[in-house]
Amino acid sequence: FRDPALLQATAAPLFLSLDLPEDKDWAPPTADDDTTEAEEDAPCPDPSTFFVSSFRTRSYEDTQDEADNLEARQAIERQKYYQNAATLNEAGVTFSFMTADVDARDIRANLRTMIENGLPEDVALAALTTRPADALGLNNQLGTVEPGKIANLVVTNGSYFDEEAVVRYVFVDGHRFEIEEAAPEPADGAA
């Protein structure tokens, strides 16, 4: 995402990992913080730098401030990572998702995180299905639901990306497996 033009110029297939960094609660500094007006009005730092002057500590005795500043810089980079797919999509870079080294229980939540950070659902679905099949030259066997293709499917009772949707069946090479997944509890705690 730091140089979409370079990625666009290459013919190599691009795969993005669905293994996202752990989210941590963090909010950017507010006007109440000890920042100057010039620091507040400063443009967003160059994405290739990890140093943000407004997060600088004033002396070696400010160890807690330094720890807080490190956490803030990590959060900024983590946010860029969450927006990576949307940034590449907006730049016209075609990519696929890969699930290597990702806990299967995290895939849908990580996809929702990318969607919440600007990736359109239809692009997320294509990056998960048709695009990898095309990139690997397997689109005559995988990627879409058609007669003669390998039937690897996940069936939910709603949109795959909806947090409330429950996985009902998984088909692997045409063999159906019923999933005993409990429906998520309502957000307000009502049963």
Side-chain angles (χ1 to χ4, degrees), residues 35-56:
T35 56
T36 66
E37 265 188 51
E39 289 172 331
E40 287 175 18
D41 295 334
C44 185
D46 181 311
S48 64
T49 66
F50 288 88
F51 180 75
V52 180
S53 62
S54 63
F55 297 139
R56 162 177 71 222

Side-chain angles (χ1 to χ4, degrees), residues 14-98:
L14 176 62
F15 287 85
L16 302 180
S17 175
L18 284 174
D19 188 16
L20 297 180
E22 183 181 326
D23 186 18
K24 297 195 180 186
D25 294 331
W26 177 82
T30 64
D32 297 335
D33 294 338
D34 294 334
T35 56
T36 66
E37 265 188 51
E39 289 172 331
E40 287 175 18
D41 295 334
C44 185
D46 181 311
S48 64
T49 66
F50 288 88
F51 180 75
V52 180
S53 62
S54 63
F55 297 139
R56 162 177 71 222
T57 56
R58 305 298 180 221
S59 81
Y60 71 91
E61 295 172 338
D62 297 331
T63 56
Q64 184 56 52
D65 288 343
E66 185 63 27
D68 293 343
N69 293 341
L70 175 60
E71 185 177 326
R73 288 192 301 270
Q74 289 172 334
I76 289 169
E77 290 304 310
R78 193 169 35 255
Q79 186 62 37
K80 290 176 189 174
Y81 201 97
Y82 295 158
Q83 295 169 338
N84 182 25
T87 301
L88 293 174
N89 181 61
E90 288 172 14
V93 176
T94 301
F95 58 87
S96 303
F97 287 131
M98 67 177 193

